[in-house]
Amino acid sequence: MMPEDMKNFYLMTNGFHMTWSVKLDEHIIPLGNMAINSISKLTELNQSSMYSLPNAPTLADLEDDTYEAREDQPEKPHFDSRSVIFELDSCNGNGKVCLVYKTGKPALAQDTEIWFLDRALYWHFLTDTFTAYYRLLITHLGLPQWQYAFTSYGISPQAKQWFSLYKPITYNTDLLTGETDSFMNKLDPSKVFKTKNKTVIPKKKGPVQPPGGQKGPSGPSASKPSSSSANPVRK
């Protein structure tokens, strides 16, 4: 049984895939990649052999019973029959985002969680619902290796550069737990809008006309005769 929010998602659209690129020095570079597998690609991580040889190792052989969940995280998934795991996103080869049924078969909708399986086959908890993971995916803009921000070793230096450019607060999750002022950009308007002092050249003032116009003799003013009427043009 699918979780109710995930069922509603697949009733609306059969999967989701959105990419975006940036332009640097006239070159188009693919950067963001947000994906949720379609129904046909919602495959189960089974326990079949990784090789065609007899007695070859399986995923169940990688189980480490000495691992214990921390107090702030739930119990990790298992590759054997104790858990049922479906792949939601292959993360461009950087790992796998998985829908995990914790109680095995029969898989119940209320026992699902979203986990990230890195390339070393270690599990990292993401969210407890599909809706929360979908919001997390959109919030991180599908930036490369964003899932590693929820691991103990974090994202790579190259991915940090992209995060610093497009998500300067999100990638450094340690700052989010501290004081708010520690990661706020403080703007000093006096420095940003500082202008050079220009030497002001005083302008020469002309004669000031008294208000009310120029005073003169009262009565109608005599108009000058036109030069064209007084001096006829000779041919």
Side-chain angles (χ1 to χ4, degrees):
M1 296 292 295
M2 273 189 180
E4 193 64 26
D5 55 354
M6 190 174 183
K7 185 190 301 182
N8 294 333
F9 172 81
Y10 279 109
L11 287 174
M12 179 180 65
T13 176
N14 188 17
F16 170 73
H17 189 204
M18 180 179 180
T19 59
W20 57 278
S21 306
V22 295
K23 188 176 183 180
L24 295 176
D25 297 331
E26 304 300 326
H27 297 288
I28 304 298
I29 302 176
L31 186 60
N33 182 45
M34 294 173 277
I36 295 175
N37 286 342
S38 60
I39 290 290
S40 60
K41 295 182 179 179
L42 200 63
T43 55
E44 181 181 356
L45 269 67
N46 53 35
Q47 305 172 31
S48 61
S49 173
M50 293 181 288
Y51 307 97
S52 58
L53 300 175
N55 299 325
T58 63
L59 288 175
D61 296 326
L62 299 175
E63 286 292 332
D64 185 9
D65 294 334
T66 60
Y67 176 88
E68 294 183 1
R70 296 184 300 178
E71 294 182 358
D72 57 341
Q73 286 193 352
E75 183 184 359
K76 77 177 183 67
H78 301 279
F79 291 114
D80 54 20
S81 58
R82 287 176 288 180
S83 302
V84 181
I85 307 168
F86 292 91
E87 180 184 329
L88 290 178
D89 182 14
S90 60
C91 306
N92 287 334
N94 292 317
K96 294 180 185 295
V97 174
C98 299
L99 173 70
V100 178
Y101 290 84
K102 299 181 295 182
T103 56
K105 295 181 180 180
L108 303 177
Q110 63 269 21
D111 293 331
T112 57
E113 292 173 344
I114 308 296
W115 286 72
F116 174 62
L117 180 66
D118 64 17
R119 297 184 63 179
L121 300 180
Y122 284 103
W123 289 104
H124 308 277
F125 177 76
L126 293 180
T127 62
D128 53 356
T129 63
F130 175 79
T131 301
Y133 169 73
Y134 186 78
R135 292 173 178 171
L136 207 61
L137 173 66
I138 301 299
T139 301
H140 286 80
L141 306 175
L143 288 169
Q145 304 175 15
W146 71 265
Q147 297 88 355
Y148 282 88
F150 296 88
T151 65
S152 58
Y153 30 87
I155 58 180
S156 66
Q158 182 181 4
K160 274 187 178 181
Q161 295 180 4
W162 292 117
F163 270 80
S164 298
L165 184 61
Y166 293 103
K167 295 292 291 181
I169 297 178
T170 305
Y171 90 93
N172 199 340
T173 54
D174 294 336
L175 292 179
L176 296 177
T177 59
E179 296 182 359
T180 307
D181 294 338
S182 61
F183 59 86
M184 291 293 290
N185 291 329
K186 297 180 179 180
L187 179 66
D188 188 356
S190 62
K191 293 182 179 180
V192 176
F193 302 104
K194 188 177 181 180
T195 57
K196 295 182 179 179
N197 296 327
K198 295 182 180 180
T199 305
V200 180
I201 302 175
K203 296 182 179 180
K204 294 181 179 179
K205 296 182 179 180
V208 180
Q209 186 177 358
Q214 187 176 359
K215 293 183 179 180
S218 60
S221 60
S223 60
K224 282 187 176 183
S226 174
S227 60
S228 59
S229 60
N231 300 323
V233 180
R234 295 182 180 180
K235 293 183 179 180

